[in-house]
mmCIF file with all atom_site columns, all heavy atoms in Angstrom:
data_model
loop_
_atom_site.group_PDB
_atom_site.id
_atom_site.type_symbol
_atom_site.label_atom_id
_atom_site.label_alt_id
_atom_site.label_comp_id
_atom_site.label_asym_id
_atom_site.label_entity_id
_atom_site.label_seq_id
_atom_site.pdbx_PDB_ins_code
_atom_site.Cartn_x
_atom_site.Cartn_y
_atom_site.Cartn_z
_atom_site.occupancy
_atom_site.B_iso_or_equiv
_atom_site.pdbx_formal_charge
_atom_site.auth_seq_id
_atom_site.auth_comp_id
_atom_site.auth_asym_id
_atom_site.auth_atom_id
_atom_site.pdbx_PDB_model_num
ATOM 1  N N   . SER Y 1 33 ? 9.192  27.410 -13.472 1.00 26.00 ? 93  SER Y N   1
ATOM 2  C CA  . SER Y 1 33 ? 8.539  26.677 -12.399 1.00 26.00 ? 93  SER Y CA  1
ATOM 3  C C   . SER Y 1 33 ? 9.355  25.490 -11.917 1.00 26.00 ? 93  SER Y C   1
ATOM 4  O O   . SER Y 1 33 ? 9.011  24.872 -10.930 1.00 26.00 ? 93  SER Y O   1
ATOM 5  C CB  . SER Y 1 33 ? 7.159  26.192 -12.869 1.00 26.00 ? 93  SER Y CB  1
ATOM 6  O OG  . SER Y 1 33 ? 7.297  25.255 -13.909 1.00 26.00 ? 93  SER Y OG  1
ATOM 7  N N   . GLY Y 1 34 ? 10.414 25.160 -12.625 1.00 29.00 ? 94  GLY Y N   1
ATOM 8  C CA  . GLY Y 1 34 ? 11.263 24.059 -12.190 1.00 29.00 ? 94  GLY Y CA  1
ATOM 9  C C   . GLY Y 1 34 ? 10.762 22.699 -12.615 1.00 29.00 ? 94  GLY Y C   1
ATOM 10 O O   . GLY Y 1 34 ? 11.323 21.702 -12.250 1.00 29.00 ? 94  GLY Y O   1
ATOM 11 N N   . GLY Y 1 35 ? 9.710  22.642 -13.412 1.00 30.00 ? 95  GLY Y N   1
ATOM 12 C CA  . GLY Y 1 35 ? 9.197  21.354 -13.887 1.00 30.00 ? 95  GLY Y CA  1
ATOM 13 C C   . GLY Y 1 35 ? 10.157 20.731 -14.865 1.00 30.00 ? 95  GLY Y C   1
ATOM 14 O O   . GLY Y 1 35 ? 11.006 21.383 -15.444 1.00 30.00 ? 95  GLY Y O   1
ATOM 15 N N   . SER Y 1 36 ? 10.024 19.420 -15.085 1.00 30.00 ? 96  SER Y N   1
ATOM 16 C CA  . SER Y 1 36 ? 10.965 18.750 -15.971 1.00 30.00 ? 96  SER Y CA  1
ATOM 17 C C   . SER Y 1 36 ? 10.458 18.608 -17.388 1.00 30.00 ? 96  SER Y C   1
ATOM 18 O O   . SER Y 1 36 ? 11.161 18.108 -18.235 1.00 30.00 ? 96  SER Y O   1
ATOM 19 C CB  . SER Y 1 36 ? 11.303 17.358 -15.429 1.00 30.00 ? 96  SER Y CB  1
ATOM 20 O OG  . SER Y 1 36 ? 10.181 16.512 -15.567 1.00 30.00 ? 96  SER Y OG  1
ATOM 21 N N   . GLY Y 1 37 ? 9.237  19.022 -17.666 1.00 31.00 ? 97  GLY Y N   1
ATOM 22 C CA  . GLY Y 1 37 ? 8.742  18.924 -19.034 1.00 31.00 ? 97  GLY Y CA  1
ATOM 23 C C   . GLY Y 1 37 ? 9.584  19.798 -19.939 1.00 31.00 ? 97  GLY Y C   1
ATOM 24 O O   . GLY Y 1 37 ? 10.055 20.851 -19.540 1.00 31.00 ? 97  GLY Y O   1
ATOM 25 N N   . THR Y 1 38 ? 9.779  19.368 -21.193 1.00 30.00 ? 98  THR Y N   1
ATOM 26 C CA  . THR Y 1 38 ? 10.657 20.111 -22.071 1.00 30.00 ? 98  THR Y CA  1
ATOM 27 C C   . THR Y 1 38 ? 9.940  20.721 -23.258 1.00 30.00 ? 98  THR Y C   1
ATOM 28 O O   . THR Y 1 38 ? 10.560 21.404 -24.035 1.00 30.00 ? 98  THR Y O   1
ATOM 29 C CB  . THR Y 1 38 ? 11.763 19.184 -22.612 1.00 30.00 ? 98  THR Y CB  1
ATOM 30 O OG1 . THR Y 1 38 ? 11.146 18.074 -23.256 1.00 30.00 ? 98  THR Y OG1 1
ATOM 31 C CG2 . THR Y 1 38 ? 12.675 18.718 -21.512 1.00 30.00 ? 98  THR Y CG2 1
ATOM 32 N N   . SER Y 1 39 ? 8.662  20.473 -23.415 1.00 30.00 ? 99  SER Y N   1
ATOM 33 C CA  . SER Y 1 39 ? 7.988  20.953 -24.604 1.00 30.00 ? 99  SER Y CA  1
ATOM 34 C C   . SER Y 1 39 ? 6.497  20.888 -24.435 1.00 30.00 ? 99  SER Y C   1
ATOM 35 O O   . SER Y 1 39 ? 5.998  20.332 -23.481 1.00 30.00 ? 99  SER Y O   1
ATOM 36 C CB  . SER Y 1 39 ? 8.410  20.070 -25.787 1.00 30.00 ? 99  SER Y CB  1
ATOM 37 O OG  . SER Y 1 39 ? 7.573  20.253 -26.875 1.00 30.00 ? 99  SER Y OG  1
ATOM 38 N N   . ALA Y 1 40 ? 5.808  21.410 -25.423 1.00 28.00 ? 100 ALA Y N   1
ATOM 39 C CA  . ALA Y 1 40 ? 4.361  21.300 -25.446 1.00 28.00 ? 100 ALA Y CA  1
ATOM 40 C C   . ALA Y 1 40 ? 3.974  19.871 -25.786 1.00 28.00 ? 100 ALA Y C   1
ATOM 41 O O   . ALA Y 1 40 ? 4.794  18.983 -25.792 1.00 28.00 ? 100 ALA Y O   1
ATOM 42 C CB  . ALA Y 1 40 ? 3.797  22.263 -26.476 1.00 28.00 ? 100 ALA Y CB  1
ATOM 43 N N   . LYS Y 1 41 ? 2.730  19.668 -26.118 1.00 28.00 ? 101 LYS Y N   1
ATOM 44 C CA  . LYS Y 1 41 ? 2.176  18.368 -26.460 1.00 28.00 ? 101 LYS Y CA  1
ATOM 45 C C   . LYS Y 1 41 ? 2.318  17.406 -25.292 1.00 28.00 ? 101 LYS Y C   1
ATOM 46 O O   . LYS Y 1 41 ? 2.707  16.272 -25.436 1.00 28.00 ? 101 LYS Y O   1
ATOM 47 C CB  . LYS Y 1 41 ? 2.846  17.781 -27.713 1.00 28.00 ? 101 LYS Y CB  1
ATOM 48 C CG  . LYS Y 1 41 ? 1.981  16.729 -28.411 1.00 28.00 ? 101 LYS Y CG  1
ATOM 49 C CD  . LYS Y 1 41 ? 2.744  15.936 -29.409 1.00 28.00 ? 101 LYS Y CD  1
ATOM 50 C CE  . LYS Y 1 41 ? 2.777  16.584 -30.754 1.00 28.00 ? 101 LYS Y CE  1
ATOM 51 N NZ  . LYS Y 1 41 ? 3.380  15.759 -31.779 1.00 28.00 ? 101 LYS Y NZ  1
ATOM 52 N N   . THR Y 1 42 ? 2.008  17.886 -24.101 1.00 29.00 ? 102 THR Y N   1
ATOM 53 C CA  . THR Y 1 42 ? 2.078  17.015 -22.942 1.00 29.00 ? 102 THR Y CA  1
ATOM 54 C C   . THR Y 1 42 ? 0.751  16.340 -22.722 1.00 29.00 ? 102 THR Y C   1
ATOM 55 O O   . THR Y 1 42 ? -0.258 16.750 -23.247 1.00 29.00 ? 102 THR Y O   1
ATOM 56 C CB  . THR Y 1 42 ? 2.439  17.811 -21.673 1.00 29.00 ? 102 THR Y CB  1
ATOM 57 O OG1 . THR Y 1 42 ? 1.433  18.785 -21.458 1.00 29.00 ? 102 THR Y OG1 1
ATOM 58 C CG2 . THR Y 1 42 ? 3.792  18.448 -21.784 1.00 29.00 ? 102 THR Y CG2 1
ATOM 59 N N   . GLY Y 1 43 ? 0.787  15.328 -21.915 1.00 32.00 ? 103 GLY Y N   1
ATOM 60 C CA  . GLY Y 1 43 ? -0.451 14.665 -21.564 1.00 32.00 ? 103 GLY Y CA  1
ATOM 61 C C   . GLY Y 1 43 ? -0.136 13.400 -20.808 1.00 32.00 ? 103 GLY Y C   1
ATOM 62 O O   . GLY Y 1 43 ? 0.786  12.686 -21.153 1.00 32.00 ? 103 GLY Y O   1
ATOM 63 N N   . SER Y 1 44 ? -0.858 13.161 -19.773 1.00 33.00 ? 104 SER Y N   1
ATOM 64 C CA  . SER Y 1 44 ? -0.711 11.962 -18.974 1.00 33.00 ? 104 SER Y CA  1
ATOM 65 C C   . SER Y 1 44 ? 0.742  11.582 -18.779 1.00 33.00 ? 104 SER Y C   1
ATOM 66 O O   . SER Y 1 44 ? 1.151  10.465 -19.031 1.00 33.00 ? 104 SER Y O   1
ATOM 67 C CB  . SER Y 1 44 ? -1.477 10.811 -19.612 1.00 33.00 ? 104 SER Y CB  1
ATOM 68 O OG  . SER Y 1 44 ? -1.477 9.708  -18.746 1.00 33.00 ? 104 SER Y OG  1
ATOM 69 N N   . GLY Y 1 45 ? 1.545  12.576 -18.419 1.00 38.00 ? 105 GLY Y N   1
ATOM 70 C CA  . GLY Y 1 45 ? 2.893  12.264 -18.031 1.00 38.00 ? 105 GLY Y CA  1
ATOM 71 C C   . GLY Y 1 45 ? 3.960  12.384 -19.086 1.00 38.00 ? 105 GLY Y C   1
ATOM 72 O O   . GLY Y 1 45 ? 5.100  12.193 -18.784 1.00 38.00 ? 105 GLY Y O   1
#
Side-chain angles (χ1 to χ4, degrees):
S93 65
S96 71
T98 56
S99 165
K101 202 194 273 187
T102 60
S104 188

